[in-house]
Amino acid sequence: MDYSLAVENGPETIPGGTGLLLVHPSIGETDRIDTDFLKTDTDAFLVVSTRTTAREVEQKLEYYDVDETKATILDTLSVERGYSRRTSDDVYYVSAPDDLDGVVDRVERFLTENEGKRRVSVDSLTEMAYYADDDAVYEAAAEILALLDEHDAVGIFHLSEEVHEVATLDRFRELFDGVIDLDGEGNVVVDV
């Protein structure tokens, strides 16, 4: 099954099972790319949020006119930070961004419980590595990529280029099927 990509300078479509790495500066405007990816040609999507709370994700989706009825959100921050949690059918929580097994498990459950064209956004690997470590996050990303392939789904994974060593960036780049490079001026280069 092919999916429309809707990312400037990229191909029209990508095959199911594709995982894309979005490499960006720390202050890069990633929301536009992320929300275009999520709202195009999709029946259901999961946002794994390690940078913002579920409420902030909902606000972003609303701002960019993404159909929230298709959204499932995994909030990894609220429990650890002691924020109140609003339980709903579409918002889930794990204890902290370094609960990588919990994250992988929730991605698997989302892919198993939903049908049709499914997309996953992991925002971000950098935050996960801040709480865990690069090797553990690399392994978790590899597990999620295998799940995307198994379920004919697609995913986009955020990684901030300024935070990681060049060798770490290269290692992550090689793990993914394609890379989207976003620079500080908003220019996009896609290599799929």
Side-chain angles (χ1 to χ4, degrees):
M1 171 171 22
D2 283 347
Y3 289 74
S4 294
L5 182 54
V7 174
E8 63 185 284
N9 302 322
E12 283 289 311
T13 62
I14 53 173
T18 299
L20 300 171
L21 182 66
L22 173 57
V23 179
H24 59 86
S26 295
I27 56 166
E29 182 50 55
T30 60
D31 287 353
R32 175 179 47 88
I33 293 173
D34 201 40
T35 53
D36 284 350
F37 177 82
L38 292 173
K39 71 182 176 183
T40 305
D41 191 26
T42 187
D43 297 305
F45 64 85
L46 170 67
V47 176
V48 178
S49 184
T50 64
R51 290 189 314 111
T52 57
T53 64
R55 182 172 177 79
E56 291 168 300
V57 172
E58 289 167 344
Q59 291 168 342
K60 176 176 87 171
L61 296 177
E62 184 178 334
Y63 180 81
Y64 284 94
D65 198 28
V66 181
D67 185 352
E68 293 178 63
T69 64
K70 298 178 180 181
T72 301
I73 300 168
L74 177 59
D75 179 335
T76 69
L77 285 178
S78 290
V79 174
E80 186 200 43
R81 294 190 178 168
Y83 298 151
S84 62
R85 297 178 296 285
R86 297 184 309 150
T87 305
S88 77
D89 292 341
D90 304 317
V91 178
Y92 299 90
Y93 298 89
V94 293
S95 59
D98 63 353
D99 180 3
L100 302 179
D101 289 340
V103 170
V104 172
D105 178 62
R106 178 50 63 188
V107 171
E108 183 171 23
R109 288 174 64 181
F110 166 79
L111 293 171
T112 303
E113 293 169 2
N114 291 277
E115 296 182 352
K117 291 190 170 184
R118 292 151 298 168
R119 295 175 185 254
V120 175
S121 169
V122 178
D123 186 7
S124 83
L125 295 173
T126 299
E127 289 294 320
M128 293 166 88
Y130 174 80
Y131 288 91
D133 64 67
D134 291 343
D135 288 339
V137 171
Y138 181 92
E139 292 304 321
E143 288 181 54
I144 294 171
L145 289 169
L147 289 169
L148 294 176
D149 190 45
E150 179 184 337
H151 292 275
D152 204 27
V154 294
I156 190 167
F157 298 68
H158 298 233
L159 189 70
S160 177
E161 64 185 346
E162 295 142 342
V163 176
H164 303 279
E165 300 285 332
V166 172
T168 301
L169 287 169
D170 289 347
R171 184 176 179 218
F172 274 101
R173 283 176 181 274
E174 290 169 12
L175 179 63
F176 288 84
D177 302 303
V179 178
I180 302 168
D181 282 292
L182 172 68
D183 70 18
E185 281 74 52
N187 300 308
V188 177
V189 176
V190 181
D191 180 15
V192 178

